[in-house]
Amino acid sequence: EVQLVESGGGLVQPGGSLRLSCAVSGFTFSNSWMTWVRQAAGKGLEWVANINPDGREKNYVDSVKGRFAISRDNAKNSLYLQMNSLRAEDTAVYYCARNTLTAAGDYWGQGTLVTVSS
Amino acid sequence: QSALTQPRSVSGSPGQSVTISCTGTSSDVGGYNYVSWYQHHPGKAPKLMIYDVSQRPSGVPDRFSGSKSGNTASLTISGLRADDEADYYCCSFAGRNTYVFGTGTKVTVL
């Protein structure tokens, strides 16, 4: 059974940092592109970032470039999103997903809520 | 990286068909045959319904179909059922291994 379990969300002040994790099982993580997608309350899904299987290629939506960093540990079957200089507009549920070329995500986690507020 | 344009809402009675449009540009929808569609119930994980414009993953009923013409993709739900009521999002490959989602459409079953 495929499972993706996000963790690390919570309340953080503007300008602060947070690190999200996604633990994966049920498919060959080390061969898979992975992605983060977010959804702010009352808004649509937004693709945030992805990373290739060996971690050398990383891509970001413009609004998070220079502030967020995606990474992975293939030995631990885990995906990460380091979020720095957080803003109120980063408040959202963050989902991790397996990224295929043809779809941003075919397997998805349940999401973790990040709230940026003073 | 502008969001693809979808109607805010569509509705239909049980058994009817509804079609959701997804309009982008030649840099995304029109440039690649990599359009996917997701069903999203609030509080749950999004579910892939269509990939490669018109392909259904295993387990997705053939009541769901996808197509594309130029810069606009479409998702049609036939034989509408109560449990089809959800938010639906299109997504397109946008080059350089990046993606862009649509604005989302709420499907209501009357």
Side-chain angles (χ1 to χ4, degrees), chain B residues 1-6 20-37 52-54 66-75 89-95 98-103:
Chain B
Q1 293 178 328
S2 297
L4 309 175
T5 300
Q6 298 180 232
I20 303 168
S21 61
C22 169
T23 300
T25 69
S26 58
S27 297
D28 37 64
V29 175
Y32 310 94
N33 287 322
Y34 295 146
V35 175
S36 51
W37 289 89
D52 283 1
V53 175
S54 60
S67 63
K68 191 188 88 167
S69 178
N71 296 338
T72 298
S74 298
L75 173 72
Y89 294 88
C90 61
C91 181
S92 176
F93 184 79
T98 66
Y99 296 81
V100 59
F101 278 92
T103 50

Side-chain angles (χ1 to χ4, degrees), chain A residues 45-108:
Chain A
L45 298 175
E46 180 182 33
W47 178 81
V48 174
N50 66 2
I51 186 169
N52 78 331
D54 66 10
R56 294 184 182 184
E57 181 177 345
K58 305 170 185 181
N59 302 291
Y60 301 91
V61 68
D62 286 347
S63 59
V64 308
K65 283 180 181 176
R67 300 188 300 122
F68 288 12
I70 190 172
S71 63
R72 64 192 298 157
D73 185 334
N74 287 342
K76 295 183 177 179
N77 282 1
S78 292
L79 175 72
Y80 306 102
L81 186 67
Q82 177 67 43
M83 303 185 296
N84 299 327
S85 302
L86 281 161
R87 306 166 180 169
E89 55 264 36
D90 297 317
T91 295
V93 175
Y94 285 74
Y95 298 94
C96 67
R98 187 176 77 164
N99 179 189
T100 69
L101 174 64
T102 61
D106 57 356
Y107 297 126
W108 295 71

